[in-house]
Amino acid sequence: MQYLVMFFIALIICSIGFRKYVWFISLGYGFSIAALGIAMIFFFRRYMSAVLLCICLLLFIYGIRLGGYLLISELKLSSYNAAMKKEIKSDVTIVGKILIWITCALLYTLQVSPVFFRLSNGGETGVTTLIGAVIMALGIVLESAADIQKTMAKKKNPKRFVDTGLFRIVRCPNYFGEVLFWTGVFVSGVTALHGPVRWICALLGYVGIIYVMFSGARRLEMRQNRNYGDDPEYQKYVKTVPILIPFVPLYSVEKYSFLVA
């Protein structure tokens, strides 16, 4: 019953996407995760351990930071809005919007399911729970640092691609931070996944967000190729720096047309 309530919470927040389609997967995403973190604190407050409280707060911090960053981008950055208009469909039918609304709310609920299952088991914690929390925190720090570095670099030279700081190691460090964060969520609850239903829910949420991150990296790569493709320095950069996972020699995902989000 509590899991169903969480799904409805995500549905309510994601409904802002009916005002602007991109908000299903941007503001609706960030603020849904924040709300789900708080909801789990409320549902399981009677036996919430310190580690699990930290994990739920990390979900809240992650969602508020992401949602706030995207909201500021929406309000202040004309270049961001222009890019989103080109990359996100605007002629979606009402049926299509309803389907994406439900799908997004379900995905966001599935993403936090490892934490929910851990709590619903009685909140028992172990080494994997602590490790997961540490990985989540590292993911937030990495993603935040990448966003700050990109903003500073663009202020200094708005017409140049970013290849400083974390961007020297990986071309999408903010997306890698997301991958790291959700890997931590999965690890934190992996020993609480008893039975096929729980495993399916947790894996669908984890694989789903990894797919979204690779799709986002593909969109970014295609946009950067259009903007900087004639720049020799950019060509050298993309051939030597991995696109999403540091030190893994995957330099391009543009050809993988199945990565559509």
Side-chain angles (χ1 to χ4, degrees):
M1 183 63 182
Q2 292 167 326
Y3 197 69
L4 185 61
V5 172
M6 289 175 57
F7 173 63
F8 282 118
I9 290 172
L11 275 177
I12 291 170
I13 296 175
C14 283
S15 64
I16 63 173
F18 287 103
R19 174 68 177 82
K20 192 172 182 180
Y21 179 75
V22 69
W23 288 351
F24 283 128
I25 56 176
S26 60
L27 301 182
Y29 171 46
F31 293 132
S32 288
I33 298 302
L36 294 177
I38 295 300
M40 287 188 287
I41 292 176
F42 176 77
F43 290 148
F44 301 102
R45 60 191 181 280
R46 293 182 179 178
Y47 51 87
M48 178 76 67
S49 69
V51 175
L52 286 171
L53 176 60
C54 286
I55 287 175
C56 290
L57 289 175
L58 285 171
L59 287 168
F60 174 75
I61 292 168
Y62 165 88
I64 288 296
R65 192 210 70 84
L66 178 61
Y69 178 81
L70 293 172
L71 182 59
I72 292 172
S73 297
E74 280 274 347
L75 296 175
K76 293 186 176 181
L77 302 181
S78 59
S79 59
Y80 173 86
N81 292 325
M84 288 300 99
K85 286 181 179 178
K86 291 179 181 179
E87 297 184 16
I88 303 297
K89 297 178 181 179
S90 58
D91 57 344
V92 182
T93 64
I94 187 63
V95 174
K97 288 182 178 180
I98 291 173
L99 289 175
I100 192 66
W101 172 49
I102 295 172
T103 301
C104 285
L106 179 60
L107 175 61
Y108 306 155
T109 310
L110 290 173
Q111 285 175 232
V112 303
S113 64
V115 180
F116 178 85
F117 293 142
R118 170 71 67 192
L119 288 163
S120 64
N121 273 7
E124 294 182 2
T125 59
V127 175
T128 56
T129 314
L130 182 58
I131 292 174
V134 172
I135 295 173
M136 289 170 67
L138 288 174
I140 292 176
V141 171
L142 179 62
E143 187 176 6
S144 302
D147 286 340
I148 292 171
Q149 290 176 357
K150 184 175 182 178
T151 299
M152 293 177 64
K154 283 297 184 180
K155 284 183 178 179
K156 185 176 181 180
N157 192 346
K159 295 184 178 181
R160 194 185 194 286
F161 63 94
V162 181
D163 61 346
T164 55
L166 292 169
F167 292 83
R168 292 180 180 272
I169 303 171
V170 62
R171 290 179 3 235
C172 300
N174 48 345
Y175 290 168
F176 175 64
E178 290 247 0
V179 170
L180 202 60
F181 178 84
W182 290 110
T183 298
V185 171
F186 185 83
V187 170
S188 73
V190 69
T191 56
L193 303 179
H194 305 312
V197 173
R198 290 189 174 191
W199 273 102
I200 290 171
C201 288
L203 286 172
L204 282 175
Y206 182 64
V207 173
I209 192 59
I210 298 301
Y211 173 86
V212 170
M213 289 302 103
F214 272 93
S215 296
R218 180 174 181 263
R219 286 199 308 271
L220 179 61
E221 180 185 5
M222 294 171 68
R223 184 168 74 244
Q224 290 185 333
N225 286 344
R226 290 194 300 268
N227 294 338
Y228 314 115
D230 296 331
D231 186 340
E233 290 187 7
Y234 173 74
Q235 290 298 328
K236 180 180 178 181
Y237 175 65
V238 299
K239 291 177 182 178
T240 55
V241 178
I243 187 165
L244 185 57
I245 308 298
F247 313 116
V248 174
L250 176 64
Y251 301 104
S252 174
V253 291
E254 183 177 7
K255 63 182 179 180
Y256 301 123
S257 57
F258 65 88
L259 292 172
V260 178

